[in-house]
Amino acid sequence: MKLFFASLMLLAVTVQADDSQPLWNLARANAETHAFSTLFTAHDVKNHLSTDAGIQSAIAWCKQTAVTKVYIESFRDGYTAERTALERVRDRFRTEGFKVSGCITPTSIGKKSNRWNIIACYTDAATQERTGEIFRYAASLFDEIMIDDFWFTECSCAECDAARVARKVTVGGKITKSESDSWEDYRRELMLRMSRERALGAAKKTNSRARLIIKYPQWYDTFHERGYDVERETKMFDRTWVGTETRDFEDKRWGGTVQYEAYFIMRWLGGIDEKKCGGGWYDWLGTTEKTYIEQARQTVLGGARESMLFCYGGLQGTTGPKNIEALRANVPELLEVAKQIARRGITGIAAYKPPNSHAEDEKRVFDFVGMLGLPLVPCHEFPTKAPAAFFSIHALKDEDFARKFTKFIRTGKPVLITDGLAEKLRGKVPLDAPNIRVLAVKRDPKLLLQLGESELNAIREPLLRSLKITFNAPNKVGYYAFSDGSWVIENFNDTPVITELNHVRREVPARGWIYEWKETKQ
């Protein structure tokens, strides 16, 4: 086994090197494995890129930050960037050797939702038409267009309610019957039609080369409630993207999300269609340098092929400059880790979350379980062949779960289930089987962060035994296992911790990581 560390001495072999920008040279040489990108919002185009000096400053910043691709946004918050400005910026960045794509943030379009007023009421016909115009405009400028994570609706106005009760979705004069009159079913059918006709249809009719990326937000437990249908939309769109902005758990405004969520959602959505899933997207809001780098690490560990740094304008102020300074120092190592991960498959404990599943009192439980040093393998289909598994209330979305679970139990493989799921299954499956352990979530997954090391070791031991692994560590330590025996351990604590992996003690620095890669045949 050998530790691999990146080196700034690696130069591009297929592109002309720029001796004044060694980090950009390194980034371009590794871009096929993992790339860094950034977004210029529609307002950034106006405020930062309206002059030659502004454009040149942005180009220099990107090269210094290892950014090799930029997304130039044409619409956000009701504002449409001017065509001449967009063309000018697009062409300048292309001339400088950057890959360039477009972006749309569908906020403040037409009729406002009666719940979150920057979101639209897409039942409204005029709003539908305006949305099509926005996508046609972007497609006339770019061959690839990202949709920022506001492609949803939660409106419950009288017009939406009448359409829901009538169980019909009307887009462009066409009517689709829904199977039920639930809000989540109505919204999913509505957004599927909007995606097909007002986004993809409008863009591709304008530009036959147009390819659209749907960026899924961070809040995977409520996708279906707001109209996201990750299975059908993933099949429909050309590519998918993942929100990995976990920020700082303790931040008063932006906190509450643990770092492991970025890894879990990246792997879970990537599992729905690995070839389409392009990368992760994180920002500076509610972060310190340490939590910003943790977002970057979790995105890379999640198998992302690109890291989107949102956004250029925002990163110029508040915590942005220090975050970027820290990122630049970590880019070589992140690229080397990404290269190692791309060669290997993950292994571990299956974590089953069916699409459109309901969390009830166990929201984001997977994230907190991952903070306990359990190497999860997120999956959207029942993990029949997994060596061990973790199940939560989410699994009940699978109508055949009780039968599948009973069969899994009888294999003797170790199983960890939440107390909430145990309560729902009592009397339906053999919960007294010796290979089942119940995790006391107590309707509040955050409480899991209070478990002590001895309690955690007892939980981990039977699960990891099936993988022929032993791992002891305190809470808030992530463990990531690979099928060839390689591993990564990341410490999310503010102090160093001692871990023991396969009977070898190792110290992990505060807010740091260590890893070891098996040699692989090239």
Side-chain angles (χ1 to χ4, degrees):
M1 288 184 283
K2 180 181 179 182
L3 287 172
F4 291 85
F5 295 95
S7 170
L8 277 172
M9 301 303 294
L10 181 62
L11 295 178
V13 294
T14 58
V15 295
Q16 185 176 356
D18 179 355
D19 292 339
S20 67
Q21 298 290 353
L23 203 59
W24 202 50
N25 294 337
L26 177 67
R28 291 199 295 178
N30 287 273
E32 292 303 312
T33 301
H34 191 88
F36 289 92
S37 60
T38 196
L39 170 71
F40 295 95
T41 68
H43 295 91
D44 285 344
V45 173
K46 178 177 65 174
N47 297 331
H48 293 281
L49 306 178
S50 59
T51 64
D52 286 337
I55 295 173
Q56 195 56 47
S57 179
I59 288 170
W61 183 92
C62 288
K63 290 184 176 182
Q64 293 162 8
T65 312
V67 167
T68 58
K69 182 176 183 179
V70 297
Y71 294 80
I72 303 172
E73 190 177 72
S74 54
F75 182 90
R76 175 182 288 259
D77 295 341
Y79 172 70
T80 302
E82 295 179 358
R83 177 177 290 275
T84 53
L86 292 168
E87 290 174 337
R88 182 186 186 197
V89 173
R90 178 197 65 192
D91 295 345
R92 281 289 301 277
F93 271 89
R94 284 177 177 170
T95 299
E96 289 286 340
F98 292 86
K99 291 184 177 180
V100 181
S101 293
C103 185
I104 292 169
T105 297
T107 47
S108 299
I109 301 175
K111 180 184 175 183
K112 295 180 179 180
S113 164
N114 66 343
R115 301 185 68 187
W116 189 359
N117 64 16
I118 66 168
I119 302 303
C121 167
Y122 288 113
T123 303
D124 178 67
T127 301
Q128 294 175 10
E129 178 56 34
R130 175 64 181 130
T131 302
E133 292 173 358
I134 291 167
F135 278 91
R136 286 192 290 272
Y137 180 64
S140 71
L141 290 156
F142 303 99
D143 290 342
E144 182 179 71
I145 304 161
M146 175 100 71
I147 308 175
D148 194 359
D149 59 9
F150 293 90
W151 188 236
F152 68 89
T153 185
E154 57 178 5
C155 187
S156 60
C157 71
E159 186 179 2
C160 287
D161 193 41
R164 175 188 65 85
V165 172
R167 296 191 302 170
K168 65 181 182 181
V169 174
T170 305
V171 177
K174 300 177 183 178
I175 297 176
T176 297
K177 287 286 185 180
S178 300
E179 293 182 359
S180 79
D181 63 357
S182 73
W183 276 113
E184 65 180 72
D185 286 350
Y186 172 73
R187 289 169 181 156
R188 283 190 294 122
E189 292 299 328
L190 175 60
M191 294 312 299
L192 282 164
R193 289 292 297 274
M194 287 294 296
S195 296
R196 184 181 301 113
E197 299 181 16
R198 301 302 187 179
L200 289 157
K204 291 176 184 288
K205 187 174 181 179
T206 301
N207 176 0
S208 61
R209 298 185 304 277
R211 298 292 180 265
L212 268 63
I213 304 169
I214 181 170
K215 181 218 169 183
Y216 293 117
Q218 180 189 12
W219 19 269
Y220 61 83
D221 268 338
T222 55
F223 279 160
H224 49 287
E225 295 175 9
R226 292 173 169 173
Y228 282 106
D229 190 315
V230 294
E231 274 198 302
R232 290 191 285 174
E233 284 179 316
T234 294
K235 289 179 182 178
M236 185 181 296
F237 279 88
D238 300 293
R239 298 185 72 194
T240 63
W241 223 255
V242 184
T244 54
E245 55 267 61
T246 53
R247 301 162 181 161
D248 190 331
F249 183 72
E250 303 294 339
D251 188 88
K252 291 182 180 179
R253 178 178 179 186
W254 300 101
T257 302
V258 288
Q259 297 92 325
Y260 193 87
E261 178 170 302
Y263 175 84
F264 179 84
I265 192 172
M266 192 77 231
R267 289 287 180 181
W268 183 69
L269 286 169
I272 293 174
D273 192 326
E274 183 179 4
K275 292 181 179 179
K276 284 189 176 182
C277 191
W281 165 315
Y282 48 91
D283 60 39
W284 79 100
L285 297 166
T287 63
T288 62
E289 297 95 304
K290 292 177 180 178
T291 48
Y292 190 78
I293 296 304
E294 285 167 347
Q295 293 180 138
R297 288 174 181 159
Q298 292 297 296
T299 301
V300 167
L301 286 170
R305 296 190 291 273
E306 185 175 322
S307 291
M308 155 74 84
L309 313 178
F310 179 84
C311 62
Y312 175 75
L315 288 167
Q316 305 311 303
T318 62
T319 62
K322 287 187 176 180
N323 286 345
I324 292 300
E325 182 181 353
L327 178 70
R328 288 168 178 165
N330 280 268
V331 161
E333 185 179 28
L334 289 166
L335 289 175
E336 183 58 32
V337 171
K339 185 188 304 181
Q340 298 299 332
I341 288 173
R343 299 171 180 169
R344 300 168 170 85
I346 60 171
T347 189
I349 302 156
Y352 181 38
K353 187 201 179 305
N356 307 323
S357 53
H358 299 84
E360 297 187 23
D361 293 322
E362 296 180 355
K363 287 185 177 179
R364 296 180 171 181
V365 67
F366 303 100
D367 313 340
F368 293 95
V369 170
M371 297 290 282
L372 308 182
L374 292 172
L376 300 184
V377 179
C379 55
H380 68 289
E381 296 177 337
F382 189 89
T384 303
K385 297 181 180 180
F390 166 66
F391 297 106
S392 62
I393 280 179
H394 300 77
L396 295 176
K397 181 67 177 181
D398 182 344
E399 296 179 355
D400 197 26
F401 176 70
R403 183 192 64 81
K404 294 175 183 175
F405 185 42
T406 299
K407 188 175 181 179
F408 192 90
I409 293 169
R410 288 172 179 162
T411 65
K413 296 174 181 178
V415 177
L416 181 67
I417 66 172
T418 63
D419 49 0
L421 179 61
E423 184 62 31
K424 298 274 188 179
L425 293 176
R426 205 167 305 282
K428 300 177 182 178
V429 299
L431 293 179
D432 57 349
N435 53 321
I436 294 179
R437 178 167 184 135
V438 178
L439 182 66
V441 176
K442 301 176 183 178
R443 299 183 177 182
D444 187 0
K446 292 183 178 66
L447 294 176
L448 295 175
L449 297 180
Q450 299 176 13
L451 294 175
E453 185 168 354
S454 60
E455 295 173 285
L456 293 175
N457 291 339
I459 292 170
R460 287 188 290 244
E461 193 278 329
L463 294 162
L464 295 180
R465 190 190 314 140
S466 67
L467 303 170
K468 298 181 180 180
I469 292 170
T470 63
F471 181 63
N472 298 331
N475 213 315
K476 301 180 185 177
V477 174
Y479 168 49
Y480 312 81
F482 297 86
S483 54
D484 67 348
S486 300
W487 51 265
V488 176
I489 300 172
E490 184 165 8
N491 176 19
F492 301 111
N493 292 281
D494 290 324
T495 56
V497 299
I498 299 297
T499 65
E500 186 176 292
L501 175 61
N502 295 333
H503 309 295
V504 178
R505 287 169 60 86
R506 295 176 173 85
E507 181 174 326
V508 188
R511 309 305 279 265
W513 62 354
I514 61 173
Y515 39 82
E516 193 167 69
W517 310 112
K518 290 276 191 179
E519 293 283 4
T520 58
K521 294 181 180 180
Q522 300 298 314

